[in-house]
Amino acid sequence: KVKITKIDPKTNRVSASVKALTEDPYSSIEKKYKVGEIYEGTVTKLMDYGAFVRIQEGIEGLIHNSQLDWVNRNIKPSKVLSVSQKINFKIVNIEKDTKRISLSYKDTLDNPWNKIRENIGKEVKIKINNITDKAIFAELVESGLTGMLHYKEISFEENVEDLKKFKKNEIITAKIIEVK
């Protein structure tokens, strides 16, 4: 069965559609799915810019790379997800007219930044990634987040030369004093 969608007498062509026999899944999408809610779907395709997820038959959404991971905004989707994987996602936006749905994977995971805020004033282990002329940039061993240790916070002398005492990949103890 098909539905005739167009007849062109000039070219003697008839256009037909199978999908026109069923209701467009986007026509009542706002009744079934709500922005801000969490649902389960299946990853269908991984691209450089994000991952497509089947929400239901005939409806897919996109998780942009920036919505995959709390720590790395430009992470490759294949480092986080795989095709046919069932995942939870949060609906960020529904554009019914253009049939686009924006999703977030990271919003279904614990935000490590919230946990770090709980650790303000506490000592943590950090692994030095880089030493510049004014600061040390280091990864917090427990969370993978990157922080900065300014040379003025190394000692009470506030001497920039103190930076030379440290080496890349060295693990040291520091106290979190601020989270921006």
Side-chain angles (χ1 to χ4, degrees):
K1 285 188 173 186
V2 296
K3 181 176 183 178
I4 296 175
T5 56
K6 183 178 169 186
I7 298 173
D8 189 341
K10 292 179 184 173
T11 60
N12 289 328
R13 289 192 177 177
V14 176
S15 298
S17 171
V18 173
K19 78 177 186 180
L21 293 172
T22 60
E23 182 184 351
D24 180 355
Y26 283 89
S27 65
S28 60
I29 193 164
E30 68 281 343
K31 292 178 186 168
K32 194 166 184 183
Y33 300 103
K34 304 280 184 225
V35 171
E37 295 293 318
I38 295 175
Y39 301 94
E40 185 181 272
T42 305
V43 177
T44 57
K45 190 187 316 182
L46 300 175
M47 306 297 287
D48 289 340
Y49 53 85
F52 286 92
V53 177
R54 183 184 309 109
I55 298 170
Q56 74 172 51
E57 197 59 46
I59 298 181
E60 284 193 347
L62 172 67
I63 302 173
H64 188 269
N65 321 27
S66 62
Q67 293 297 315
L68 286 170
D69 188 76
W70 285 107
V71 179
N72 187 346
R73 288 183 50 84
N74 292 317
I75 195 162
K76 288 186 73 158
S78 60
K79 299 262 186 212
V80 180
L81 302 172
S82 58
V83 173
S84 78
Q85 180 181 353
K86 288 201 180 306
I87 62 164
N88 289 328
F89 59 85
K90 181 177 178 180
I91 296 183
V92 176
N93 189 27
I94 298 174
E95 294 178 29
K96 189 175 172 179
D97 296 339
T98 57
K99 298 183 178 184
R100 290 184 173 192
I101 302 175
S102 300
L103 310 174
S104 174
Y105 177 66
K106 74 179 185 181
D107 283 349
T108 66
L109 309 171
D110 289 334
N111 183 344
W113 290 105
N114 293 337
K115 187 172 183 178
I116 291 300
R117 284 183 181 85
E118 295 170 7
N119 289 330
I120 292 176
K122 296 180 182 172
E123 289 185 3
V124 293
K125 296 281 186 196
I126 60 174
K127 180 180 177 187
I128 298 172
N129 291 339
N130 191 21
I131 302 171
T132 67
D133 57 342
K134 300 274 188 210
I136 292 172
F137 289 88
E139 180 180 305
L140 282 80
V141 173
E142 198 173 288
S143 67
L145 299 174
T146 300
M148 182 187 78
L149 174 60
H150 195 271
Y151 80 88
K152 289 185 177 185
E153 295 297 333
I154 293 174
S155 72
F156 287 102
E157 286 78 38
E158 296 185 358
N159 185 348
V160 74
E161 295 297 315
D162 287 340
L163 291 168
K164 293 179 181 175
K165 296 177 185 176
F166 300 95
K167 303 276 182 258
K168 189 175 178 177
N169 294 322
E170 183 179 355
I171 295 178
I172 61 172
T173 302
K175 187 181 284 189
I176 298 175
I177 58 171
E178 182 180 36
V179 176
K180 291 185 180 181

